[in-house]
């Protein structure tokens, strides 16, 4: 609050934005200062907001997005105009794709000059560019509209299917003044920003009837289920019905992966075999082979396997997006699952029939076989380390530290970690999500540590780490309990490609051999460890978790150990082999 020449108490755009955010329970901003938002970042910190400053806006944006996922409050990312905005936009779009609530607030240049294209500093029509790439986009031109602008952004981000929102704040807005009392009255505290959406009783009955008739039922839990924070009811529904469940990547740990009804280890058996599949906050997108094809028992890749689907989703448009949904259940996961719980207790009392024993026995047999096979592979101790022997260590460490958050990206480093490392608690696994995007690693790690206060373990492919690696400085600056493990196999997928033309340049997938990523962390005062054996890796990770010091372990992995494109080789067009 300031006082003008006439001593009338006035406020300005800076303070109104800060007050509007605080009024709505926002306590942290992730961003990167510069023109025209440097002073805004300073004032926000002065007024009690936590401002976490990054080295690149994309990482700040990824941090905001995952903070939104973890807290159900929109994560805020603050950037400068044009290039900073564009850097943040990738994260905003990724947040929207993944249904994470986030608001990208970017300063922008003078509207009059931008609209006449007169060549302003960092001139860009940011609102128009953001619009098709996020859930909603707004611009505030007048200080008295700041309250409405922030309120609309918050509601848009968290209500219904969560997503990314762009808020354009022109430089001039920040310095605009208005009467302080009127300014205060113009702010809005959003009431019930993500209202419950209760499913219709007929839809609940349809779903329960389908489940009741199933011989081989299966539940698929997605990250929408994890986001919903309805953990106890979800667990109760699964245990009461006795239906086997398959967690999607970020739903791992919603119930412990070691739960006897978890069928991750028999995925390729249960998908084609199941007769009724209930999707809970999971989309039938590419990660589930679109609900058809050979994965689901279809004869061709477009053929549908004959399953009946129940789908719980907050978005009514999600049903029938890939195959017919026989029982859509539209509502928030919490309300839907509690309605289902009520329905199964009234319709069947405590005698809800568990799935047929043949189905459960067939799954158990397959699961046990695969678990034994994996145990054998994990017990090997090759030199140099491979993904399995290194991940055997990570698996133990996560088991001993179930409160730690695991961030994971890469190709092979992602696929192997997902299948080898069990998770024990909800929302502890954060990864590349719907797009399979690279570059989320350090942004997610910073935000996870900041919003949870828990230790973070980031398992990174060396290629994936490169996208956000400079943020190790951010990790050190804020002294965050993050242990980064870089699985270093000298390149993208591996380090063995050679230049087919025989020139001096290395192949496009190959990096500097024997690189020491650990030195990067040391450069900023953190702990760097070079680990070539599982014992060294274990010691380093244990020490990092004990000390809570920023740590980077350069874990040397056999450069021949990776496979091209990890598990999604089929998506990589191959040229026809010459005879
Ligand atoms: P996964 O990749 O784990 O399968 P997806 O991101 O594909 O998960 O799917 C998440 C789904 O969850 C989206 O369709 C989204 O609309 C839905 N969703 C998100 N939040 C909720 C919620 N609170 N209640 C119901 N559905 C939700």
């Amino acid at each position: 609050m300031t006082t003008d020449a006439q001593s009338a108490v006035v406020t300005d755009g800076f303070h109104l934005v800060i007050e509007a955010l605080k009024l709505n329970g926002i306590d942290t901003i992730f961003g990167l200062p510069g023109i025209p938002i440097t002073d805004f970042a300073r004032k926000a910190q002065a007024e009690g907001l936590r401002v976490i400053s990054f080295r690149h806006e994309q990482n700040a944006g990824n941090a905001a997005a995952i903070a939104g996922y973890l807290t159900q409050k929109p994560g805020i990312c603050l950037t400068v105009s044009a290039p900073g905005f564009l850097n943040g936009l990738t994260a905003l779009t990724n947040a929207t794709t993944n249904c994470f609530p986030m608001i990208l607030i970017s300063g922008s240049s003078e509207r009059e000059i931008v609209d006449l294209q007169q060549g302003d500093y960092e001139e860009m029509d940011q609102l128009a560019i953001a619009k098709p790439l996020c859930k909603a986009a707004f611009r505030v031109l007048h200080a008295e509209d700041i309250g409405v602008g922030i309120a609309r952004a918050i509601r848009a981000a968290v209500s219904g299917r969560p997503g990314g929102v762009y808020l354009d704040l022109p430089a001039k807005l920040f310095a605009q003044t208005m009467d302080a009392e009127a300014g205060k009255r113009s702010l809005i505290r959003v009431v019930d920003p993500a209202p419950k959406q209760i499913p219709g009783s007929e839809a609940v009955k349809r779903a329960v009837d389908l489940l009741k008739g199933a011989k081989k039922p299966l539940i698929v839990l997605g990250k929408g289920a994890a986001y919903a924070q309805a953990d106890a009811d979800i667990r109760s529904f699964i245990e009461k019905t006795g239906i086997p469940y398959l967690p999607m990547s970020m739903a791992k740990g919603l119930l412990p992966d070691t739960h006897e009804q978890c069928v991750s280890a028999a995925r390729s058996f249960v998908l084609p075999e199941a007769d009724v599949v209930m999707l809970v906050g999971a989309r039938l997108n590419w990660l589930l082979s679109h609900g058809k094809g050979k994965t689901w028992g279809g004869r061709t890749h477009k053929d549908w396997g004959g399953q009946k689907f129940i789908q719980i989703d907050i978005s009514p448009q999600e049903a029938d997006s890939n195959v017919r949904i026989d029982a859509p259940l539209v509502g928030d996961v919490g309300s839907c699952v509690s309605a289902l719980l009520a329905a199964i207790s009234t319709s069947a009392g405590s005698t809800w029939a568990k799935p047929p024993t043949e189905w459960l026995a067939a799954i158990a047999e397959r699961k046990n076989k695969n678990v034994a096979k994996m145990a054998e592979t994990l017990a090997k101790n090759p030199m140099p380390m491979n993904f399995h022997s290194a991940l055997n260590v990570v698996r133990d460490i996560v088991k001993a530290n179930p409160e730690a958050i695991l961030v994971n990206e890469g190709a092979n480093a992602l696929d192997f970690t997902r299948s080898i490392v069990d998770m024990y608690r909800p929302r502890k696994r954060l990864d590349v999500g719907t797009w399979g995007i690279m570059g989320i690693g350090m942004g997610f790690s910073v935000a996870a540590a900041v919003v949870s206060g828990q230790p973070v373990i980031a398992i990174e492919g060396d290629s994936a780490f490169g996208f956000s690696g400079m943020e190790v400085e951010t990790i050190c600056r804020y002294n965050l309990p993050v242990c980064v493990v870089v699985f270093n196999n000298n390149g993208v997928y591996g380090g063995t490609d050679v230049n087919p033309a025989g020139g001096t340049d290395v192949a496009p997938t190959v990096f500097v051999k024997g690189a020491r990523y650990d030195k990067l962390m040391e450069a900023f005062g953190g702990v760097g460890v070079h680990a070539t054996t599982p014992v060294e890796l274990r010691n380093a990770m244990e020490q990092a978790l004990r000390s809570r010091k920023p740590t980077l372990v350069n874990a040397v992995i056999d450069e021949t150990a990776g496979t091209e494109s990890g598990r999604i080789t089929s998506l990589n067009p191959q040229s026809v082999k010459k005879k």
Side-chain angles (χ1 to χ4, degrees):
M1 238 174 251
T2 53
T3 305
D4 73 3
Q6 286 81 41
S7 305
V9 182
V10 296
T11 187
D12 58 23
F14 287 112
H15 291 94
L16 287 167
V17 176
I18 294 163
E19 288 309 316
L21 292 172
K22 281 169 65 175
L23 188 64
N24 285 287
I26 306 271
D27 51 19
T28 306
I29 293 177
F30 304 93
L32 205 162
I35 296 171
I37 49 90
T38 318
D39 255 358
F40 175 76
R42 287 194 188 107
K43 288 176 201 279
Q45 188 175 51
E47 295 201 15
L49 284 168
R50 186 148 196 220
V51 182
I52 304 291
S53 195
F54 283 74
R55 305 300 294 260
H56 190 285
E57 293 88 350
Q58 193 177 114
N59 305 320
N62 285 326
I66 210 66
Y69 170 75
L70 290 170
T71 62
Q72 296 183 324
K73 278 195 295 193
I76 308 290
C77 175
L78 180 70
T79 79
V80 302
S81 36
F85 153 78
L86 287 172
N87 288 343
L89 195 54
T90 305
L92 185 72
T93 310
N94 187 50
T96 309
T97 303
N98 280 283
C99 318
F100 299 155
M102 160 183 178
I103 302 172
L104 174 68
I105 300 180
S106 295
S108 58
S109 309
E110 267 193 59
R111 277 255 44 87
E112 294 81 351
I113 303 183
V114 172
D115 288 349
L116 279 171
Q117 296 173 35
Q118 293 174 307
D120 202 4
Y121 167 74
E122 295 191 351
E123 175 181 298
M124 177 174 276
D125 188 356
Q126 297 169 194
L127 184 70
I129 289 165
K131 232 175 218 170
L133 295 173
C134 59
K135 189 176 170 193
F138 306 101
R139 177 186 292 130
V140 181
L141 290 177
H142 303 291
E144 57 266 37
D145 293 330
I146 286 172
V148 169
I150 300 275
R152 285 182 72 65
I154 290 173
R155 266 197 197 285
V158 295
S159 63
R161 173 184 275 181
V165 176
Y166 175 60
L167 189 61
D168 192 84
L169 302 184
K172 270 189 183 170
L173 176 78
F174 291 107
Q176 271 181 34
T177 56
M178 68 182 286
D179 173 71
E181 198 41 50
K184 202 169 167 193
R185 278 200 307 274
S186 72
L187 301 185
I188 295 175
R189 186 167 177 279
V190 179
V191 176
D192 197 10
K196 275 194 179 155
Q197 297 193 18
I198 316 280
S201 54
E202 272 175 32
V204 174
K205 182 171 181 315
R206 202 182 292 127
V208 170
D209 287 349
L210 247 187
L211 272 185
K212 233 190 264 173
K215 300 261 178 307
K216 298 175 171 183
L218 174 70
I219 292 173
V220 177
L221 300 174
K223 60 180 170 306
Y227 173 79
Q229 299 194 13
D231 312 334
D233 273 1
I234 291 172
R235 182 169 187 150
S236 170
F237 182 77
I238 285 175
E239 291 181 342
K240 279 197 173 136
T241 58
I243 299 174
Y245 73 93
L246 180 71
M248 297 299 289
S249 194
M250 281 176 58
K252 276 166 69 72
L254 188 40
L255 283 79
D257 283 345
T258 46
H259 194 287
E260 65 163 343
Q261 286 169 254
C262 178
V263 295
S264 295
R267 186 182 197 271
S268 60
F269 174 72
V270 292
L271 293 182
E273 284 292 321
D275 62 351
V276 174
V277 179
M278 182 164 106
L279 303 158
V280 187
R283 287 171 284 189
L284 282 175
N285 55 17
W286 70 283
L287 291 158
L288 279 169
S289 307
H290 305 282
K292 52 195 166 196
K294 297 203 168 136
T295 309
W296 292 87
R299 279 169 302 243
T300 64
H301 79 287
K302 286 274 185 196
D303 190 28
W304 158 68
Q307 290 84 357
K308 298 230 181 270
F309 286 101
I310 301 163
Q311 182 161 33
I312 299 182
D313 206 291
I314 203 151
S315 164
Q317 290 173 43
E318 193 50 47
D320 306 327
S321 58
N322 285 273
V323 296
R324 181 178 64 223
I325 300 299
D326 304 274
L329 205 49
V330 177
D332 66 280
V333 164
S335 301
C336 291
V337 174
S338 83
L340 285 173
L341 266 173
I344 61 163
S345 9
T346 46
S347 76
S350 53
T351 59
W352 174 269
K354 299 262 153 128
T357 27
E358 304 86 77
W359 174 230
L360 302 181
I363 295 174
E365 191 193 329
R366 181 62 71 104
K367 191 172 141 177
N368 293 339
K369 208 166 84 195
N370 289 347
V371 168
K373 213 160 87 191
M374 178 62 90
E376 229 173 77
T377 316
L378 292 178
K380 291 184 186 144
N381 191 7
M383 195 62 201
M385 281 193 287
N386 63 13
F387 289 101
H388 291 88
S389 60
L391 284 167
N392 192 31
V393 172
V394 178
R395 177 185 161 96
D396 289 348
I397 301 274
V398 170
K399 187 174 182 186
N401 299 275
E403 76 290 353
I405 294 180
L406 183 78
V407 173
N408 186 204
E409 63 176 335
N412 293 285
L414 174 85
D415 294 335
F416 287 120
T417 306
R418 186 177 52 233
S419 58
I420 292 170
V421 178
D422 288 329
M423 304 306 300
Y424 299 87
R425 300 205 185 148
R427 294 169 295 283
K428 294 296 187 185
R429 187 185 152 83
L430 310 175
D431 67 26
V432 303
T434 305
W435 266 348
I437 197 171
M438 296 291 135
I440 49 88
M442 297 305 103
F444 277 17
S445 297
V446 168
V450 165
V451 302
S452 75
Q454 300 291 351
V456 174
I457 298 168
I459 303 298
E460 299 275 313
D462 51 348
S463 161
F465 176 70
F467 288 78
S468 66
M470 191 63 198
E471 302 298 345
V472 295
E473 190 274 331
T474 311
I475 292 169
C476 289
R477 189 169 5 115
Y478 294 102
N479 194 24
L480 298 172
V482 177
C483 173
V484 184
V485 181
V486 177
F487 279 6
N488 186 355
N489 63 356
N490 294 339
V492 183
Y493 311 130
T496 52
D497 269 9
V498 286
N499 180 345
T504 51
D505 289 349
V506 297
T509 55
V510 169
F511 296 153
V512 167
K513 302 233 178 204
R516 293 290 300 273
Y517 293 100
D518 48 314
K519 303 274 184 198
L520 258 177
M521 190 60 106
E522 284 176 0
F524 303 108
V527 178
V529 182
H530 181 61
T532 58
T533 66
V535 173
E536 288 169 356
L537 176 59
R538 189 180 299 272
N539 289 341
M541 291 186 76
E542 280 174 354
Q543 178 58 24
L545 281 147
R546 250 196 318 271
S547 70
R548 292 176 65 96
K549 282 195 187 136
T551 301
L552 192 152
V553 187
N554 182 52
V556 179
I557 303 289
D558 184 353
E559 67 173 4
T560 65
T563 54
E564 171 87 11
S565 309
R567 290 231 178 109
I568 50 174
T569 309
S570 59
L571 299 179
N572 198 13
Q574 310 270 318
S575 59
V576 178
K577 291 238 162 37
K578 289 190 197 122
K579 288 233 167 102

